Amino acid sequence: MIYTITLNPAIDKIKYLEGNLEQEKNNRVKEKFIDLGGKATHVSAILQQLNKSNIALGFSGELNKQEFYEVLKIYNIRHDYIEVKNESVRESIVVINNSGGSYMITEKGPDILEPDKNKLIKILKEQVKENDIIVIAGSPPPGYSSKDFRELIKVLRKNNAYIACDVAGKYLKVSLEEGVDFVKPNEHELETLYDGNEDLSEKFKKLTSKVKNAVCSLGGEGAMYMANGKIFRITPPKVKVKSDTGAGDAFVGGYIYALSNNSSIHERVKQGIIVSASKVQHHGSCQIDPAQFDFINKNTKILEVR
Ligand code: TA6
């Protein structure tokens, strides 16, 4: 089974403007969408659209749970979120200019207290079996410390699960210290992971010495990854971008889909790129269209960096 863990899910309120965002001006909205946010939620949405069963876990908020569950229902996602009393699932406002540039304004989310943290650990101890795939992604909520995150990883490691983490900062550091199986920092997250002014591929080589499968996502430029001790760059074709929100999360969804089909590292990364390049052609945070995959696949390039 594949489980996604979103410690701090969000409801994305996406607003497409008639013009470009200007301060002290009434910026008119021409179209609006609601979608899932919080990162691992996107992975569940992508897997559902690829008919790959999975269960979404994490913390929701009691006060607006119906709204959140309505959005999960769009993708028919099976879930078992812990409902935090007197709290709400946070909102992320995504504003997209007429010119395509985007702004994201994201709430901090609910404080998670010890009893609820322990409920999640209990679910994982009871549910997760050997070789299950667990995806942890998104910024943990306030009050969720590095220590809490380390405990989560240790429980999953004890159950011999495959642990994929798409997290940043101190949580990425904990993931590397605990020896998870997959991480996907973006360029900025990799740059800030290591001090020093080595170039990106040098920093990436350092990262690959700490984790079996590492990918550095590079936005529309594709990604960098390691296979058989060599570094590769994978580049998708240029496509008409409607929204890049959730593109990195879509990559993880495609990668995990291919991993669950026992594909090679090259195929896993390529599937991630294909799904991500499809996602950006859609308005929401999680939509893809498999009918777009063939063109992207045929026009994606893989080159050995060195
Ligand atoms: O990656 C896109 C996205 O998941 C948005 O949908 C929005 O919910 C935001 O990022 C949440 O990011 P955070 O790092 O706060 O979990």
Side-chain angles (χ1 to χ4, degrees), residues 4 6 35-37 39-52 54-56 71-72 74-78 81 249-250 253-254 275 279 285-288:
T4 66
T6 313
D35 209 337
L36 285 172
K39 296 186 168 32
T41 45
H42 302 245
V43 174
S44 277
I46 295 294
L47 292 172
Q48 285 296 115
Q49 294 172 86
L50 298 175
N51 300 314
K52 181 64 72 171
N54 68 95
I55 301 175
V71 192
L72 289 163
I74 297 171
Y75 301 98
N76 198 21
I77 292 173
R78 217 175 122 199
Y81 286 97
D249 314 307
V275 171
K279 191 321 308 170
S285 308
C286 309
Q287 277 97 356
I288 55 173

Side-chain angles (χ1 to χ4, degrees), residues 53-163:
S53 61
N54 68 95
I55 301 175
L57 303 175
F59 302 107
S60 72
E62 182 192 33
L63 301 180
N64 63 346
K65 65 182 180 184
Q66 284 321 319
E67 185 184 7
F68 179 50
Y69 296 161
E70 281 308 306
V71 192
L72 289 163
K73 217 182 280 174
I74 297 171
Y75 301 98
N76 198 21
I77 292 173
R78 217 175 122 199
H79 59 84
D80 184 14
Y81 286 97
I82 292 156
E83 295 173 5
V84 181
K85 293 233 168 307
N86 301 319
E87 291 281 6
S88 294
V89 172
R90 63 184 171 147
E91 288 190 354
S92 192
I93 312 293
V94 182
V95 176
I96 300 177
N97 280 338
N98 196 38
S99 62
S102 64
Y103 306 80
M104 209 185 287
I105 303 143
T106 302
E107 294 174 344
K108 64 183 177 65
D111 276 308
I112 308 297
L113 305 177
E114 289 313 307
D116 283 332
K117 292 177 191 173
N118 296 335
K119 280 183 195 167
L120 178 60
I121 294 293
K122 185 170 181 296
I123 290 174
L124 298 175
K125 280 182 178 170
E126 288 168 357
Q127 305 280 333
V128 174
K129 302 283 177 293
E130 182 153 13
N131 298 325
D132 281 348
I133 297 172
I134 318 294
V135 185
I136 308 171
S139 303
Y144 207 87
S145 65
S146 301
K147 181 171 168 292
D148 295 320
F149 194 75
R150 193 181 304 277
E151 184 190 1
L152 187 64
I153 304 278
K154 283 183 183 300
V155 164
L156 297 170
R157 179 54 75 233
K158 201 151 175 287
N159 290 24
N160 289 322
Y162 181 101
I163 309 169

Side-chain angles (χ1 to χ4, degrees), residues 14-22 27-28 30 94-103 241-243:
I14 304 159
K15 318 279 183 192
Y16 283 79
L17 300 183
E18 288 175 351
N20 292 339
L21 187 68
E22 284 183 68
N27 293 275
R28 302 282 176 196
K30 69 179 174 188
V94 182
V95 176
I96 300 177
N97 280 338
N98 196 38
S99 62
S102 64
Y103 306 80
V241 176
K242 282 211 177 108
S243 163

